[in-house]
Amino acid sequence: MTVRVVACGRTDAGRVRSHNEDSFEIDEDRELYVVADGMGGHSHGEVASRMAVDTIRRFVAEAEREHDATWPFAYDPDLQRHSNVLKAAVQLAHDQVLSAIRRDGNLFGMGTTVVGCLVRGDTAAVAHVGDSRAYRFHDGELRLLTQDHTWVNEQVVAGILSEEQARDHPLKNVVTRALGGDSEVQVDVTEIALDPGDTLLLCSDGLTTMLDDREIEAELQKIADGELNGACEALVKEANSRGGHDNVTVVLLRAEAED
Ligand code: CA
């Protein structure tokens, strides 16, 4: 079964922050969708998140024409070609952020999370670093596809903290992996077989710190048959109505049966 993907995205500074350090990209021709959440003083977070998104878009575009699609990064034979391309694109984005910091000492401390999705046929490759997330909404149910690279999530996985304790923990914003962090970055990649009617959500933590998974699910159920733009608007509006403590970015993509 082949599917056709329609997508929309929204980003908003929220109700507290003076500027928006999130970036997103929708490249419908290449079926590439990316959300990045930058960090660093003096608006350097914006520089990092935009650099990540632009690097990934360029790498994916070039990889279509190249035989050695992931060069100079390793090729994982357990993953499909486009999953390898997306993974290499994220690794290159990390190298680009690090090089920018090396060239200009003022940028020291900047970094960004990223979650990206590249669709080929009916397979969505999802890659992420940090606490930006991907979810699948299938048959009315929302399921998280990514594990946050955060200190609190590691404690939850290890059984030391409960989900509730993690939610309000003072260290909940500490990410353990980011582009621009350690010299090597480990990128998590997963492959999802899309069914017609499935919706994927990519988002920054400005959404998930304001709404829990059940609340996001309820928003998506409300608009299940409606057009995606309304759903993007509704999620951003809901995050802001609950306080909008952070920049919020959502990208929604829906798989439709190709006729
Ligand atoms: Ca954020």
Side-chain angles (χ1 to χ4, degrees):
M1 169 85 68
T2 33
V3 294
R4 191 173 69 90
V5 175
V6 292
C8 75
R10 285 283 184 291
T11 188
D12 191 272
R15 291 281 158 81
V16 176
R17 304 280 171 93
S18 58
H19 51 261
N20 192 345
E21 298 190 316
D22 288 0
S23 297
F24 77 92
E25 182 75 36
I26 293 175
D27 184 338
E28 290 197 316
D29 291 341
R30 297 194 177 81
E31 295 188 293
L32 171 70
Y33 315 89
V34 188
V35 168
D37 175 353
M39 58 203 94
H42 309 289
S43 55
H44 295 152
E46 284 162 73
V47 175
S49 67
R50 182 39 60 188
M51 187 178 288
V53 162
D54 288 345
T55 303
I56 291 167
R57 182 172 45 74
R58 272 199 310 273
F59 187 89
V60 168
E62 281 162 22
E64 282 187 343
R65 299 189 292 270
E66 301 290 331
H67 182 63
D68 301 320
T70 66
W71 191 87
F73 303 100
Y75 194 97
D76 180 349
D78 293 331
L79 292 172
Q80 293 190 21
R81 182 184 190 274
H82 71 288
S83 307
N84 273 286
V85 167
L86 182 62
K87 184 177 180 182
V90 174
Q91 287 170 305
L92 182 67
H94 171 65
D95 289 353
Q96 295 284 324
V97 174
L98 281 182
S99 315
I101 295 169
R102 278 192 211 109
R103 282 195 306 272
D104 179 356
N106 291 319
L107 298 175
F108 180 78
M110 82 168 179
T112 184
T113 72
V114 71
V115 58
C117 175
L118 183 62
V119 179
R120 290 291 177 270
D122 68 350
T123 305
V126 173
H128 88 291
V129 173
D131 63 357
S132 294
R133 293 181 178 175
Y135 290 90
R136 181 191 196 189
F137 183 67
H138 172 86
D139 278 347
E141 282 182 20
L142 189 74
R143 189 167 63 85
L144 180 62
L145 300 174
T146 51
Q147 280 289 338
D148 291 352
H149 303 135
T150 58
W151 183 83
V152 290
N153 190 48
E154 288 173 3
Q155 305 303 302
V156 171
V157 170
I160 297 164
L161 289 179
S162 71
E163 301 259 357
E164 292 68 38
Q165 287 170 322
R167 234 187 138 65
D168 300 318
H169 201 281
L171 297 179
K172 66 177 190 252
N173 293 325
V174 176
V175 293
T176 48
R177 291 190 215 171
L179 305 190
D182 296 339
S183 58
E184 294 282 319
V185 73
Q186 203 188 331
V187 184
D188 287 357
V189 183
T190 182
E191 293 177 336
I192 309 296
L194 292 173
D195 290 330
D198 280 356
T199 301
L200 298 188
L201 164 67
L202 311 181
C203 61
S204 63
D205 71 332
L207 180 73
T208 52
T209 50
M210 294 289 110
L211 278 75
D212 68 25
D213 289 7
R214 297 289 70 81
E215 291 166 332
I216 295 170
E217 184 181 74
E219 286 301 314
L220 292 176
Q221 283 165 349
K222 276 191 228 163
I223 51 74
D225 300 318
E227 48 108 34
L228 285 182
N229 277 308
C232 282
E233 296 275 358
L235 287 168
V236 169
K237 198 170 153 218
E238 203 54 37
N240 281 335
S241 74
R242 285 156 197 256
H245 294 167
D246 195 1
N247 308 146
V248 55
T249 304
V250 298
V251 167
L252 285 171
L253 44 140
R254 184 182 287 157
E256 298 184 339
E258 191 150 60
D259 23 59

